[in-house]
Amino acid sequence: MARDAATDRAAAQPAADIATYLARHDRKDLLRFVTCGSVDDGKSTLIGRLLYDTQLIAEDQLAALDADSRRFGTQNGALDFALLVDGLAAEREQGITIDVAYRFLRTDRRKFIVADCPGHEQYTRNMATGASTAQLAVVLVDARKGLLTQTRRHSYIVALLGIRHVVLAVNKMDLVDYSQARFAEIVAAYRDLAALLGIAEVTAIPLSALLGDNLTARGEGTPWYDGPTLLEHLESVAIADSVREGPFRLPVQWVNRPDQNFRGFAGTLAQGRVRVGEEVVVLPSARRSRVARVLGPNGDVDSAVAGEAVTLTLNDEIDVSRGDVLAAASAPPEVADQFACHLLWLGEQPLLPGRPYWLKLGTRTVVATVTEIKHRVDVNTQEHLAAKRLALNEVGVCNLSLDQPVAFESYARCRELGGCILIDRQSHATVGAGFLDFALRRAQNIHWQHLDVDRQARALIKGQTPRCLWFTGLSGSGKSTIANQVERRLLASGYHTYLLDGDNVRHGLNRDLGFTAEDRVENIRRVAEVARLMVDAGLIVLVSFISPFRSERRLARDLFAPGEFVEVFVDTPLELCEQRDPKGLYRKARSGEIRNFTGIDSPYELPEAPELHLRTAEAAVDDLAGEVIAAATRAG
Amino acid sequence: MATPSHLDRLEAESIHIFREVAAEFRRPVMMYSIGKDSSVLLHLLLKAFAPARPPIPLLHIDTGWKFREMIAFRDRRAAETGVELLRHTNPEGLREGVNPITHGAAVHTDIMKTQALKQALDKHGFDAAIGGARRDEEKSRAKERIFSFRTAQHRWDPKNQRPELWNLYNGRVHPGESVRVFPLSNWTELDIWLYIQREGIEVVPLYFAAERPVVERDGALIMVDDERLPLRPGEVPQRRRVRFRTLGCYPLTGAVESQADTLEAVIAEMVAARTSERQGRVIDHDPAASMEKKKQEGYF
């Protein structure tokens, strides 16, 4: 058994031997693993115990653990190893794990980074965070309870993330009298599940994390078990480094251009090996060149391999930017803008098909919409269910449409070019994890089939219902303020909008018009026609015009299909408008400097049946804008 | 060609993170605290953008109570590397003479570090601040993301962190919001020292044992770095052979007795140590979960 810290101490004296020690240390490889399973299966205890047994707990930490065990512990004052790994105050109070904690172990043979994951369903997204960087998963099962819903869910996520090695740790064996039959029963049930999920390698170990049986030392209670202890297995399991195989791919992170003489493309190699002189292709532009230099962290090298952070220079001056992929010209990856994918939803708000999100794949960020949810997968039972949306922690098989083509690999082949995240454009939260399966030709994606380019097609590509929001009201009533906020918020949510403002239009399109009655009508006619063209183009158009006469507003309304025109009456008492007088116009009108001013010497005809009636004296701008947004984004 | 070693992988991951920060943020900065982790960060920063000069400036929050050797080291390294160095001291704290001796560790740390940091981030409008914290240091740090989101009030919400999958980092923020970035998240203290040794990175000499004037106070060895440290009745500075495992404000940083005056000896001592590095930090001995609380309030 390896008690590295102990041998470290011996080896480290005297300091003269340190060089040997260091050389040995640097050659150790690293295994990243995740522990998962249900609440109370003993994950935190298992890791705490591993830390304790490998003697990586310092004396001051041990003293703190002792104190904490008395205060918060669940072991009647004895050392509660779980407290070593539950870091947040809320977690210690509630005795649960909310977020993943990363722990570090080392033995004579390997270094380990352990991601200790929460078991509760509501924290599945944190479990996925921890598992995404792991090469191996330790799935804990309570020997008394057997496989639980959480066991199935976590195993599904482990399989979805493509973790090939699973250790089934049947814990709390001491509480079932170390029953071999019980162990065999659980292992058989789990092997069925693993086969269903496509997990190829399962190693089952009977354990008691609390007592330390088969953790780092052989347990006396399980003489019938002749396999490795958990630590022995973790130290010796062979982890294939598959990304080092295959033709090279480098997502460009950063263009390094200190002066005219150097133009390098920096990034981390996602797959394969790149060599000086090799022919490369830039995707998606498909331009070609050859590698002139490969710069590693210490300068020029002949070649570099997956996982290394490098900077390449090319023989030719071709256009390459962040987000492009440099790839072996002999075997380039596919380029596409439509995909079939698995999607794990991480957002509090559900995934809505048609709503645009940012998608980050490698170093490229594009706009993406889910065009169709083929089905939802019940992660607890693996059943396929029909779904119109995906809620937090749900998984769906979806069709994805991007606003521009990207180079990619299937996730199964290469995580770096097949795994993507979705980011909400309004909240900026990370709301989805995508696993690209394969590219769809447009013809395969029925939503895009047989659509001539008409107003429906233009609207569909924008994922919205086009509308004209017509803001009418006195000068100074707050039309522009509300319209501006509405547009800003719509844009942030991914809607395509345009704001036509009275003053601005009069500076350009309508600069030949004055304020006579005829000119006012012509002013409105032109603006309404422009708005109609824009609605035809699929936009949500906001028109902010005083438009005081019913007949003019009627003229505008008649240009649109039923439901497309939304009249928004911004109702502010004249006294208030005059008091605000943001442009000083009322003062000028009162003093006679301006003639025909609405509300002073020209009438404002109240709307009779506006779709929205905003009383600005009674509500905050934010709320009023919210009302307009609700009307603007109503489906159909 | 040999397989990349553990340190090679850590180095590559950190460089990747630096480059993502440069590419995704409008105005990033790197916190430079002059300690060993900062020395490693600076080394990686230079590597990530070589042969260009790093597009990210350094920021040092100067409490006015750092060891003199630290300040000299900081100014020399900034000049040698040519990286822009910004400094900030809380002007109100300075005016009111806030110090660790009469105000205590908690008040001093809050006003001269946490508040000062927030002032500096606001003043320059930084949307990303890179720090040298590691997950092996402390419990709440073990839970933190590599890109760790902060509200416009610089608050961390540990119960609602953004998911962070693979090496895909989300750098999207609204105006005023920011992200704290930790390129050394997956390094351990041992990795830091091994890398310093491998790369020949220079660190402040205070990490190595030498005869220094110290007083023993509340179980800690405090170095009398200048005349501002008032001696208690009966206290006489003694010259003892000591070194520091972490560096901060000198009245708050305990030394350890040591003979380790070379890098190799320091590593040997660290490998054999039975105490964690933060033990020498007076500020960490506040009640349980204090680091989590300080971090929520904006401390790095």
Side-chain angles (χ1 to χ4, degrees), chain B residues 28-58:
Chain B
V29 70
M30 188 185 105
M31 305 307 299
Y32 183 68
S33 72
I34 322 174
K36 62 183 192 305
D37 302 292
S38 283
S39 288
V40 168
L41 273 187
L42 178 57
H43 187 78
L44 291 165
L45 176 73
L46 295 169
K47 281 195 175 195
F49 301 101
R53 184 180 292 202
I56 300 174
L58 310 183

Short mmCIF file of all heavy atoms in Angstrom, two decimals, chain B residues 28-58:
data_model
loop_
_atom_site.label_atom_id
_atom_site.label_comp_id
_atom_site.label_asym_id
_atom_site.label_seq_id
_atom_site.Cartn_x
_atom_site.Cartn_y
_atom_site.Cartn_z
N PRO B 28 -8.98 43.16 -18.94
CA PRO B 28 -8.54 42.25 -17.88
C PRO B 28 -7.33 42.79 -17.12
O PRO B 28 -6.62 43.65 -17.62
CB PRO B 28 -8.16 40.99 -18.66
CG PRO B 28 -7.78 41.47 -20.02
CD PRO B 28 -8.50 42.78 -20.27
N VAL B 29 -7.12 42.27 -15.93
CA VAL B 29 -5.96 42.65 -15.12
C VAL B 29 -5.49 41.41 -14.37
O VAL B 29 -6.28 40.48 -14.15
CB VAL B 29 -6.34 43.78 -14.12
CG1 VAL B 29 -7.26 43.28 -13.02
CG2 VAL B 29 -5.10 44.44 -13.53
N MET B 30 -4.21 41.38 -13.99
CA MET B 30 -3.72 40.27 -13.18
C MET B 30 -3.31 40.80 -11.82
O MET B 30 -2.50 41.72 -11.72
CB MET B 30 -2.53 39.59 -13.86
CG MET B 30 -2.11 38.31 -13.15
SD MET B 30 -0.61 37.59 -13.84
CE MET B 30 0.56 38.05 -12.57
N MET B 31 -3.89 40.22 -10.77
CA MET B 31 -3.54 40.62 -9.41
C MET B 31 -2.13 40.12 -9.14
O MET B 31 -1.82 38.95 -9.35
CB MET B 31 -4.50 39.98 -8.41
CG MET B 31 -5.96 40.27 -8.67
SD MET B 31 -6.33 42.01 -8.85
CE MET B 31 -5.82 42.58 -7.23
N TYR B 32 -1.29 41.01 -8.66
CA TYR B 32 0.10 40.64 -8.38
C TYR B 32 0.36 40.92 -6.91
O TYR B 32 0.41 42.07 -6.48
CB TYR B 32 1.02 41.47 -9.28
CG TYR B 32 2.48 41.12 -9.12
CD1 TYR B 32 2.96 39.88 -9.54
CD2 TYR B 32 3.38 42.01 -8.56
CE1 TYR B 32 4.29 39.55 -9.40
CE2 TYR B 32 4.72 41.70 -8.41
CZ TYR B 32 5.16 40.46 -8.83
OH TYR B 32 6.50 40.13 -8.69
N SER B 33 0.50 39.83 -6.14
CA SER B 33 0.65 40.00 -4.71
C SER B 33 2.09 39.77 -4.24
O SER B 33 2.36 39.78 -3.05
CB SER B 33 -0.28 39.04 -3.97
OG SER B 33 0.21 37.73 -4.11
N ILE B 34 2.97 39.52 -5.21
CA ILE B 34 4.42 39.42 -4.98
C ILE B 34 4.85 38.07 -4.40
O ILE B 34 6.03 37.78 -4.34
CB ILE B 34 4.96 40.58 -4.08
CG1 ILE B 34 4.24 41.90 -4.42
CG2 ILE B 34 6.45 40.78 -4.28
CD1 ILE B 34 4.59 43.05 -3.50
N GLY B 35 3.92 37.25 -3.99
CA GLY B 35 4.27 35.94 -3.41
C GLY B 35 4.68 34.93 -4.47
O GLY B 35 4.74 35.25 -5.66
N LYS B 36 4.92 33.69 -4.04
CA LYS B 36 5.40 32.67 -4.96
C LYS B 36 4.38 32.35 -6.04
O LYS B 36 4.74 32.14 -7.20
CB LYS B 36 5.77 31.40 -4.18
CG LYS B 36 4.60 30.76 -3.45
CD LYS B 36 5.04 29.55 -2.64
CE LYS B 36 3.86 28.73 -2.13
NZ LYS B 36 2.87 29.52 -1.34
N ASP B 37 3.10 32.34 -5.68
CA ASP B 37 2.06 32.05 -6.68
C ASP B 37 2.00 33.16 -7.73
O ASP B 37 1.83 32.90 -8.91
CB ASP B 37 0.71 31.87 -6.00
CG ASP B 37 0.74 30.76 -4.95
OD1 ASP B 37 0.88 29.59 -5.35
OD2 ASP B 37 0.69 31.06 -3.76
N SER B 38 2.18 34.40 -7.27
CA SER B 38 2.21 35.52 -8.22
C SER B 38 3.43 35.42 -9.13
O SER B 38 3.36 35.77 -10.30
CB SER B 38 2.26 36.85 -7.47
OG SER B 38 1.00 37.19 -6.98
N SER B 39 4.54 34.95 -8.57
CA SER B 39 5.74 34.80 -9.40
C SER B 39 5.49 33.77 -10.50
O SER B 39 5.89 33.96 -11.65
CB SER B 39 6.94 34.35 -8.55
OG SER B 39 7.37 35.43 -7.73
N VAL B 40 4.79 32.69 -10.15
CA VAL B 40 4.46 31.66 -11.14
C VAL B 40 3.48 32.23 -12.16
O VAL B 40 3.64 32.05 -13.37
CB VAL B 40 3.90 30.39 -10.46
CG1 VAL B 40 3.29 29.44 -11.48
CG2 VAL B 40 5.01 29.69 -9.67
N LEU B 41 2.48 32.97 -11.68
CA LEU B 41 1.50 33.58 -12.60
C LEU B 41 2.19 34.49 -13.61
O LEU B 41 1.91 34.44 -14.80
CB LEU B 41 0.49 34.43 -11.81
CG LEU B 41 -0.76 33.78 -11.24
CD1 LEU B 41 -1.66 34.86 -10.66
CD2 LEU B 41 -1.53 32.99 -12.28
N LEU B 42 3.10 35.31 -13.11
CA LEU B 42 3.79 36.26 -13.99
C LEU B 42 4.60 35.51 -15.05
O LEU B 42 4.60 35.87 -16.23
CB LEU B 42 4.69 37.18 -13.16
CG LEU B 42 5.52 38.21 -13.92
CD1 LEU B 42 4.63 39.11 -14.77
CD2 LEU B 42 6.34 39.07 -12.93
N HIS B 43 5.24 34.45 -14.62
CA HIS B 43 6.02 33.61 -15.54
C HIS B 43 5.12 33.03 -16.63
O HIS B 43 5.46 33.05 -17.81
CB HIS B 43 6.67 32.51 -14.70
CG HIS B 43 7.66 31.65 -15.44
ND1 HIS B 43 8.94 32.08 -15.71
CD2 HIS B 43 7.55 30.40 -15.97
CE1 HIS B 43 9.59 31.11 -16.37
NE2 HIS B 43 8.76 30.09 -16.54
N LEU B 44 3.96 32.54 -16.23
CA LEU B 44 3.02 31.95 -17.19
C LEU B 44 2.41 33.01 -18.11
O LEU B 44 2.19 32.77 -19.29
CB LEU B 44 1.90 31.22 -16.44
CG LEU B 44 2.31 29.96 -15.69
CD1 LEU B 44 1.23 29.55 -14.70
CD2 LEU B 44 2.59 28.82 -16.66
N LEU B 45 2.18 34.18 -17.55
CA LEU B 45 1.64 35.30 -18.34
C LEU B 45 2.59 35.64 -19.48
O LEU B 45 2.17 35.83 -20.63
CB LEU B 45 1.43 36.51 -17.43
CG LEU B 45 0.96 37.81 -18.09
CD1 LEU B 45 -0.50 37.71 -18.50
CD2 LEU B 45 1.14 39.00 -17.14
N LEU B 46 3.87 35.71 -19.16
CA LEU B 46 4.87 36.04 -20.18
C LEU B 46 4.91 34.94 -21.25
O LEU B 46 4.99 35.22 -22.44
CB LEU B 46 6.25 36.21 -19.54
CG LEU B 46 6.37 37.41 -18.58
CD1 LEU B 46 7.67 37.35 -17.79
CD2 LEU B 46 6.29 38.73 -19.34
N LYS B 47 4.84 33.68 -20.80
CA LYS B 47 4.88 32.57 -21.75
C LYS B 47 3.66 32.54 -22.66
O LYS B 47 3.77 32.24 -23.83
CB LYS B 47 4.94 31.23 -21.00
CG LYS B 47 6.31 30.86 -20.46
CD LYS B 47 6.33 29.39 -20.07
CE LYS B 47 7.74 28.99 -19.64
NZ LYS B 47 7.90 27.54 -19.59
N ALA B 48 2.50 32.86 -22.10
CA ALA B 48 1.25 32.72 -22.86
C ALA B 48 1.23 33.63 -24.08
O ALA B 48 0.61 33.30 -25.09
CB ALA B 48 0.05 33.02 -21.96
N PHE B 49 1.90 34.78 -23.97
CA PHE B 49 1.80 35.75 -25.06
C PHE B 49 3.12 35.99 -25.78
O PHE B 49 3.20 36.85 -26.66
CB PHE B 49 1.20 37.05 -24.54
CG PHE B 49 -0.17 36.83 -23.96
CD1 PHE B 49 -0.37 36.74 -22.59
CD2 PHE B 49 -1.26 36.63 -24.80
CE1 PHE B 49 -1.62 36.49 -22.06
CE2 PHE B 49 -2.52 36.38 -24.28
CZ PHE B 49 -2.70 36.31 -22.91
N ALA B 50 4.16 35.23 -25.43
CA ALA B 50 5.45 35.38 -26.11
C ALA B 50 5.27 35.06 -27.60
O ALA B 50 4.48 34.17 -27.92
CB ALA B 50 6.48 34.44 -25.48
N PRO B 51 5.92 35.74 -28.51
CA PRO B 51 6.92 36.79 -28.24
C PRO B 51 6.34 38.16 -27.97
O PRO B 51 7.10 39.10 -27.74
CB PRO B 51 7.74 36.79 -29.53
CG PRO B 51 6.77 36.38 -30.59
CD PRO B 51 5.84 35.41 -29.94
N ALA B 52 5.01 38.31 -28.00
CA ALA B 52 4.43 39.62 -27.73
C ALA B 52 4.51 39.93 -26.23
O ALA B 52 4.65 39.03 -25.40
CB ALA B 52 2.97 39.67 -28.18
N ARG B 53 4.39 41.20 -25.91
CA ARG B 53 4.31 41.59 -24.51
C ARG B 53 2.88 41.29 -24.04
O ARG B 53 1.93 41.47 -24.80
CB ARG B 53 4.59 43.09 -24.42
CG ARG B 53 4.64 43.62 -23.01
CD ARG B 53 4.93 45.10 -23.02
NE ARG B 53 6.29 45.37 -23.48
CZ ARG B 53 6.95 46.49 -23.20
NH1 ARG B 53 6.37 47.43 -22.49
NH2 ARG B 53 8.17 46.68 -23.64
N PRO B 54 2.69 40.83 -22.82
CA PRO B 54 1.32 40.46 -22.38
C PRO B 54 0.35 41.64 -22.49
O PRO B 54 0.70 42.76 -22.12
CB PRO B 54 1.52 40.08 -20.91
CG PRO B 54 2.95 39.76 -20.78
CD PRO B 54 3.68 40.60 -21.77
N PRO B 55 -0.85 41.38 -22.99
CA PRO B 55 -1.84 42.44 -23.13
C PRO B 55 -2.60 42.69 -21.83
O PRO B 55 -3.68 43.28 -21.84
CB PRO B 55 -2.78 41.88 -24.20
CG PRO B 55 -2.71 40.40 -24.02
CD PRO B 55 -1.32 40.09 -23.55
N ILE B 56 -2.07 42.20 -20.72
CA ILE B 56 -2.77 42.28 -19.43
C ILE B 56 -1.83 42.96 -18.41
O ILE B 56 -0.73 42.46 -18.19
CB ILE B 56 -3.13 40.86 -18.94
CG1 ILE B 56 -4.05 40.17 -19.96
CG2 ILE B 56 -3.79 40.89 -17.56
CD1 ILE B 56 -4.37 38.71 -19.66
N PRO B 57 -2.26 44.07 -17.80
CA PRO B 57 -1.39 44.71 -16.80
C PRO B 57 -1.47 44.01 -15.45
O PRO B 57 -2.35 43.20 -15.21
CB PRO B 57 -1.97 46.12 -16.71
CG PRO B 57 -3.42 45.95 -17.04
CD PRO B 57 -3.50 44.80 -18.01
N LEU B 58 -0.53 44.37 -14.57
CA LEU B 58 -0.53 43.83 -13.20
C LEU B 58 -1.13 44.87 -12.26
O LEU B 58 -1.00 46.08 -12.49
CB LEU B 58 0.89 43.54 -12.74
CG LEU B 58 1.80 42.73 -13.66
CD1 LEU B 58 3.15 42.48 -12.99
CD2 LEU B 58 1.14 41.41 -14.01
#
